[in-house]
């Protein structure tokens, strides 16, 4: 049983690192968590990548959990990191699909998608626009992903169905868990709104696949137990990958050791 948590904070351009630290402290001791996902905006409280990395390494050690410290734009790549409870970087991922706005802003896209072996299973990332491309979830799923960390950002006004068409749909199509951190706040006069959600594959009639969530423009933390045994049951009941054309996938993307 894995305990995952996600933080949501509304970003304001005048916010400082002290505001971010106070917000973290307000969430309580946060003991017993295996994985904590920070808001996508977390890097905006820091003046450099080194400062951002040092702070979140310390935060992972403080709470003795793996930590995904939001998104940092480094060398024109939107980049996600996974930090171990000991403060080591154990995985990094570049955003692989860019929106028109992101192309105009001069961002670059990554060309690889990988999962990382961790003490709580295989973990991968989806960054912003990646959430809407089904091949992203399928590539990660075919590598045996157990849990996806997703960062979601879309301009206001909030559209519930747009958000569900991203990560929620990827979860149901590939039968992994996902912790989706939503971006709320204002950047360069553009407002963003999203919910932060912990997802799981459907296994009970009437279940909407959302274990916990935080509404838009709210701040706080959500925690949920990710039940691997129930996930195993649903995968055995409806083995999605059994019906895939694996030969075609291997032809297009190459053979992977977990394919």
């Amino acid at each position: 049983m894995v305990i995952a948590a996600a933080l949501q904070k509304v970003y304001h351009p005048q916010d400082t690192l002290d505001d971010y630290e106070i917000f973290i402290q307000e969430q309580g001791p946060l003991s017993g968590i295996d994985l904590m996902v920070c808001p996508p905006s977390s890097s905006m409280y820091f003046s450099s990548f080194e400062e951002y990395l040092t702070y979140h390494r310390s935060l992972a050690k403080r709470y003795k959990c793996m930590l995904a410290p939001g998104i940092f734009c480094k060398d024109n790549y939107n980049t996600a990191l996974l930090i171990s409870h000991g403060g080591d970087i154990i995985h990094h991922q570049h955003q692989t699909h860019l929106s028109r706005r992101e192309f105009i802003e001069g961002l670059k896209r990554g060309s690889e998608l990988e999962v990382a072996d961790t003490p709580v299973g295989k973990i991968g990332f989806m960054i912003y626009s990646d959430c809407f491309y089904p091949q992203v979830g399928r590539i990660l799923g075919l590598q045996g992903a157990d849990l996806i960390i997703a960062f979601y950002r879309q301009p206001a006004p909030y559209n519930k169905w747009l958000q569900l068409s991203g990560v929620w749909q990827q979860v149901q199509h590939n039968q992994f868990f996902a912790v989706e951190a939503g971006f709320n706040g204002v950047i360069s006069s553009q407002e963003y709104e999203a919910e932060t959600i912990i997802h799981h594959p459907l296994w009970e009639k009437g279940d909407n696949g959302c274990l916990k969530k935080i509404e838009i423009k709210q701040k706080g933390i959500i925690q949920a137990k990710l039940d691997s045994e129930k996930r195993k049951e649903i995968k055995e009941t409806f083995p999605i990958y059994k019906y895939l054309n694996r030969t075609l996938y291997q032809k297009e993307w190459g053979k992977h050791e977990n394919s």
Side-chain angles (χ1 to χ4, degrees):
M1 192 80 73
V2 176
I3 299 178
L7 298 165
Q8 180 167 293
K9 184 182 187 306
V10 180
Y11 173 74
H12 300 287
Q14 66 271 25
D15 284 352
T16 66
L17 176 54
D18 286 341
D19 295 315
Y20 184 53
E21 172 63 17
I22 290 170
F23 164 73
I24 296 290
Q25 293 179 2
E26 287 175 343
Q27 308 316 310
L30 303 181
S31 61
I33 293 173
D34 298 299
L35 170 69
M36 182 163 68
V37 180
C38 296
S41 60
S42 63
S43 67
M44 297 182 180
Y45 304 101
F46 302 89
S47 59
S48 68
F49 176 74
E50 289 71 24
E51 184 183 25
Y52 155 85
L53 184 57
T54 298
Y55 176 87
H56 287 101
R57 278 176 161 165
S58 175
L59 192 62
K61 293 177 182 178
R62 185 193 312 177
Y63 294 119
K64 298 181 176 61
C65 67
M66 286 190 297
L67 185 77
I71 301 299
F72 196 96
C73 185
K74 190 172 189 292
D75 300 325
N76 288 339
Y77 291 98
N78 278 333
T79 305
L81 301 175
L82 184 61
I83 300 174
S84 75
H85 68 280
D88 299 316
I89 297 175
I90 55 178
H91 189 40
H92 78 277
Q93 177 68 56
H94 293 151
Q95 182 179 355
T96 58
H97 295 75
L98 301 177
S99 68
R100 180 174 297 181
R101 176 189 290 269
E102 289 164 336
F103 270 116
I104 293 173
E105 291 172 349
L107 293 175
K108 300 177 183 177
R109 69 179 188 89
S111 58
E112 296 183 358
L113 285 163
E114 298 289 344
V115 297
D117 280 309
T118 78
V120 300
K122 294 185 177 181
I123 295 178
F125 283 106
M126 293 180 189
I127 302 171
Y128 297 156
S129 301
D130 292 346
C131 300
F132 297 107
Y133 288 83
Q135 62 267 35
V136 174
R138 188 52 47 90
I139 290 170
L140 295 172
L142 286 170
Q143 292 180 54
D146 299 299
L147 171 62
I148 297 299
I149 300 168
F151 296 99
Y152 178 83
R153 182 178 72 177
Q154 284 294 311
Y158 177 64
N159 184 327
K160 172 184 177 180
W161 305 113
L162 178 63
Q163 183 166 6
L164 285 177
S165 71
V167 178
W168 180 89
Q169 189 166 213
Q170 299 263 20
V171 167
Q172 310 315 322
H173 287 176
N174 296 283
Q175 298 175 319
F176 41 56
F177 295 107
V179 181
E180 179 181 14
F183 193 111
N184 288 268
V186 178
I187 308 174
S188 301
S189 301
Q190 175 64 64
E191 184 176 8
Y192 295 88
E193 295 177 344
E195 292 183 334
T196 291
I197 308 171
I198 299 178
H199 302 269
H200 70 125
L202 303 180
W203 55 61
E204 294 178 355
K205 186 177 180 180
D207 196 322
N208 65 7
C210 299
L211 287 170
K212 294 285 182 64
K213 70 177 180 178
I214 305 176
E215 304 287 343
I216 65 170
K217 297 184 178 181
Q218 303 299 311
K219 68 176 183 178
I221 185 172
I222 48 174
Q223 298 184 42
K225 293 181 180 179
L226 309 183
D227 192 331
S228 59
E229 289 303 313
K230 282 193 173 182
R231 174 173 171 253
K232 181 180 178 181
E233 288 176 15
I234 192 62
K235 289 178 69 178
E236 291 175 349
T237 302
F238 185 46
I240 290 175
Y241 290 170
K242 177 182 178 180
Y243 304 103
L244 298 183
N245 186 341
R246 289 176 176 266
T247 302
L248 176 61
Y249 283 121
Q250 291 170 4
K251 179 181 177 182
E252 291 298 318
W253 292 303
K255 184 174 177 58
H256 192 276
E257 62 179 5
N258 293 310
S259 298

